[in-house]
């Protein structure tokens, strides 16, 4: 993907680890991550049947928030 959507991401992860025995662990938790993209001036104009349509000429201010849960199994050698 081109660097048209470059920005900054940060997040947090919180969970618990249950030790089944000396070699096996089970991990369960939640995570959240936010990405803030740099403002970009992207030309969203397009042509259809010889007519040019202008969508918007304002800079895009994009943010993304991802949340989720996770379950992991770890084997220790």
């Amino acid at each position: 993907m081109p660097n048209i959507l470059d920005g900054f991401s940060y997040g947090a992860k919180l969970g618990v680890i249950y030790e089944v025995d000396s070699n096996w662990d089970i991990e369960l938790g939640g995570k959240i991550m936010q990405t803030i993209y740099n403002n970009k001036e992207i030309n969203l104009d397009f042509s259809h049947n010889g007519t040019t349509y202008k969508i918007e000429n304002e800079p895009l201010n994009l943010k993304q928030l991802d949340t989720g849960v996770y379950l992991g199994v770890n084997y220790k050698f």
Side-chain angles (χ1 to χ4, degrees):
M1 175 179 267
N3 64 354
I4 196 167
L5 293 177
D6 56 346
F8 179 72
S9 294
Y10 61 93
K13 179 174 151 178
L14 181 66
V16 295
I17 297 175
Y18 175 72
E19 188 172 326
V20 177
D21 61 22
S22 63
N23 291 341
W24 289 97
D25 289 342
I26 297 176
E27 184 178 0
L28 174 67
K31 62 182 180 175
I32 185 169
M33 184 175 77
Q34 182 168 11
T35 304
I36 301 171
Y37 298 101
N38 292 332
N39 290 342
K40 296 288 181 179
E41 293 184 16
I42 300 174
N43 184 7
L44 298 176
D45 300 345
F46 68 95
S47 295
H48 181 67
N49 291 336
T51 305
T52 300
Y53 297 94
K54 293 186 179 247
I55 303 298
E56 188 172 334
N57 288 329
E58 299 293 323
L60 297 175
N61 187 12
L62 300 175
K63 295 181 182 178
Q64 179 179 350
L65 182 66
D66 296 317
T67 59
V69 296
Y70 63 91
L71 173 68
V73 177
N74 303 316
Y75 179 76
K76 299 180 275 184
F77 294 97

